[in-house]
Amino acid sequence: MYSKPKKIGNLEIKNRFVRSATYEGMATEEGHVTDKLVELYKKLAEGGVGLIITGYAYVQQSGIAFDTQMGVYNDDLIPGLSKIADIVHKYSQDCKIALQIVHCGRQSRHLEKTLAPSAVLDKLTRKMPKEMTVEEIKETIEAFAQAIRRTKEAGFDAIQLHGAHGYLLSEFLSPYTNKRTDEYGGSTERRIKVVEDIYNRSIELVGKDFPILIKMNGDDFLEGGLTVEESKKIAEKLSKLGFAAIEISGCMWEVCKRSKKELGWKSTFVPESRMLIGTKNEPAYNLPSAKEIKKVIDVPLILVGGINSLDLVKQILTEGSADFVSLCRPLIREPDLPNRWLKGIGESKVECIYCNGCMSSLVTTGIRCVKKEP
Ligand SMILES: Cc1cc2nc3c(=O)[nH]c(=O)nc-3n(C[C@H](O)[C@H](O)[C@H](O)COP(=O)(O)O)c2cc1C
């Protein structure tokens, strides 16, 4: 089952393994691609994964999170991005690659002044973002669409909008962060509008055949935020609009504020990457939302979060709760995990212990496994 190809839009994915977007900390200060980045993606392509989704690349400088983050905000960045698409296709012709694009909104940690749909205090960073004007929203919509054009020109097979984890698009979708009363806020329909506008403008530039994916929260895990009842409606609408696949995740960074006490998670940060899966936290922790959302969408569903064994992959795919499984930390530890599983080598369990030690490598060496004893 996990070795069977399946299409995302017109794109054939050779197996059911996806590399979930993982910020790499390896770009230049202007967001240009480096040799280190090219090497990272070569290794992943060789490791057997069907679809690689890159770390988040920012579409506008007002939406940057880190100063070693990839950018896709102007045409000068295209040649560098091409190097990543080319190496993946060279080393594994049938491995596909999508660029993930983002505006980090009020979670633009690198910036003093942040933008968001509404001026809602970020209780984690203690920053009060500026509410975007309609003109600023329209500029950001155009920036996303132009980024998608650049991604296609750079030779990528697809793109993914980062609409999860409390970044700008997630902030528009969520009633917790979107308090607008104009055409971009209020009802579920109006909170979706920004994503809809990006999609509609993008297909004018790249056509309907270039697969546009989205990663979104099934649940914000914040009181007053998105719950699965509403995310089902959003996913259904986006699938009808033309999104080629939907990846289901959960959380906003602000959840960190209450994670220890209320949720009993050990981590005080990175809520979307829960720690110690299978010991402290549930494996496949977004599966309950995915199961509900799967009932209402007619495009492939990609499930991410704590997928820690091949036995679990088999169960998820066999019961039809998802069409693809997506892995982040296990592939930092073992970039060749898909090949290992496909060839039946070793344990069903991943080697990753979900300690989040990899997070510390981001600001020093760039992403790598730094296993911490729990
Ligand atoms: C080091 C690191 C970087 C991440 N970067 C991104 C990112 O750029 N975009 C994104 O959507 N999610 C990002 N995530 C979240 C993962 O894609 C994924 O949703 C989460 O880690 C759960 O999957 P896992 O249990 O397989 O690690 C990151 C997670 C980690 C640990």
Side-chain angles (χ1 to χ4, degrees):
M1 180 64 174
Y2 51 89
S3 60
K4 244 177 95 185
K6 188 171 173 78
K7 282 192 168 176
I8 289 184
N10 288 328
L11 200 64
E12 175 139 305
I13 310 298
K14 66 178 168 182
N15 58 43
R16 304 306 179 88
F17 299 117
V18 175
R19 189 278 200 144
S20 195
T22 308
Y23 165 60
E24 313 89 352
M26 291 178 178
T28 69
E29 265 187 40
E30 293 77 36
H32 284 275
V33 168
T34 58
D35 291 347
K36 255 175 137 177
L37 271 166
V38 175
E39 187 56 28
L40 173 81
Y41 286 103
K42 173 175 173 258
K43 266 216 180 95
L44 280 164
E46 287 172 335
V49 71
L51 172 67
I52 297 172
I53 303 175
T54 67
Y56 56 2
Y58 56 102
V59 300
Q60 274 182 311
Q61 269 135 332
S62 61
I64 184 174
F66 294 104
D67 59 4
T68 47
Q69 190 180 356
M70 269 199 284
V72 59
Y73 58 88
N74 77 32
D75 285 9
D76 294 347
L77 296 153
I78 298 174
L81 291 165
S82 293
K83 289 187 193 165
I84 293 182
D86 290 350
I87 201 95
V88 165
H89 296 141
K90 182 169 168 202
Y91 280 88
S92 173
Q93 275 181 356
D94 51 2
C95 175
K96 302 296 191 287
I97 178 152
L99 188 78
Q100 188 188 60
I101 57 172
V102 73
H103 184 296
C104 294
R106 66 178 194 150
Q107 295 183 166
S108 301
R109 280 174 288 276
H110 195 54
L111 302 176
E112 278 280 294
K113 289 193 176 127
T114 57
L115 294 174
S118 305
V120 175
L121 180 75
D122 185 329
K123 291 186 189 144
L124 185 67
T125 60
R126 306 302 306 169
K127 281 185 204 164
M128 177 62 90
K130 182 184 108 55
E131 175 172 317
M132 292 172 87
T133 62
V134 170
E135 203 187 338
E136 283 167 333
I137 295 174
K138 291 196 190 298
E139 278 168 19
T140 297
I141 290 166
E142 186 62 20
F144 268 102
Q146 293 297 339
I148 294 175
R149 171 188 59 77
R150 290 180 196 115
T151 303
K152 188 179 179 196
E153 282 176 25
F156 281 76
D157 302 295
I159 77 107
Q160 185 186 58
L161 298 185
H162 195 347
H165 306 163
Y167 295 103
L168 187 76
L169 300 182
S170 160
E171 288 161 15
F172 269 97
L173 293 173
S174 174
Y176 181 77
T177 37
N178 186 346
K179 308 286 183 199
R180 299 182 75 91
T181 51
D182 61 8
E183 62 195 305
Y184 290 104
S187 63
T188 315
E189 289 286 310
R190 291 207 298 263
R191 276 182 274 122
I192 300 173
K193 182 170 161 52
V194 74
V195 175
E196 220 176 340
D197 287 1
I198 292 170
Y199 181 85
N200 288 331
R201 172 66 182 135
S202 299
I203 60 170
E204 283 176 12
L205 299 176
V206 298
K208 274 194 166 171
D209 285 343
F210 187 65
I212 303 179
L213 289 66
I214 187 163
K215 183 171 183 177
M216 61 172 275
N217 282 353
D219 200 315
D220 286 344
F221 296 109
L222 265 176
E223 211 179 310
L226 270 188
T227 59
V228 74
E229 285 71 39
E230 205 181 9
S231 59
K232 262 170 97 167
K233 291 184 200 151
I234 295 172
E236 186 178 8
K237 171 116 193 196
L238 298 180
S239 108
K240 290 207 170 103
L241 185 65
F243 278 89
I246 300 181
E247 183 173 2
I248 297 301
S249 191
C251 272
M252 288 194 178
W253 276 67
E254 202 171 310
V255 174
C256 300
K257 221 26 211 168
R258 60 177 200 124
S259 62
K260 241 184 180 165
K261 254 196 213 143
E262 289 175 44
L263 303 171
W265 300 349
K266 190 170 175 187
S267 176
T268 50
F269 64 102
V270 210
E272 80 270 21
S273 301
R274 294 181 202 175
M275 292 176 80
L276 308 177
I277 305 295
T279 50
K280 190 89 185 162
N281 281 302
E282 287 293 304
Y285 48 82
N286 294 310
L287 186 57
S289 325
K291 279 186 173 170
E292 284 303 304
I293 291 170
K294 181 78 180 129
K295 292 179 192 161
V296 297
I297 63 171
D298 49 17
V299 296
L301 186 147
I302 305 170
L303 174 65
V304 70
I307 296 171
N308 67 344
S309 73
L310 184 58
D311 292 336
L312 182 58
V313 172
K314 287 180 192 164
Q315 181 205 315
I316 292 166
L317 296 177
T318 310
E319 68 190 20
S321 307
D323 302 283
F324 293 89
V325 290
S326 198
L327 305 144
C328 164
R329 289 165 292 177
L331 295 184
I332 299 172
R333 173 81 191 177
E334 297 179 86
D336 62 342
L337 177 65
N339 275 341
R340 176 163 89 64
W341 277 345
L342 289 160
K343 292 177 187 161
I345 301 168
E347 301 276 309
S348 162
K349 272 245 165 177
V350 300
E351 276 183 18
C352 172
I353 58 162
Y354 300 93
C355 63
N356 284 351
C358 48
M359 295 304 296
S360 60
S361 67
L362 285 172
V363 283
T364 51
T365 55
I367 194 71
R368 67 190 176 92
C369 176
V370 187
K371 189 171 166 181
K372 286 194 298 201
E373 290 313 316

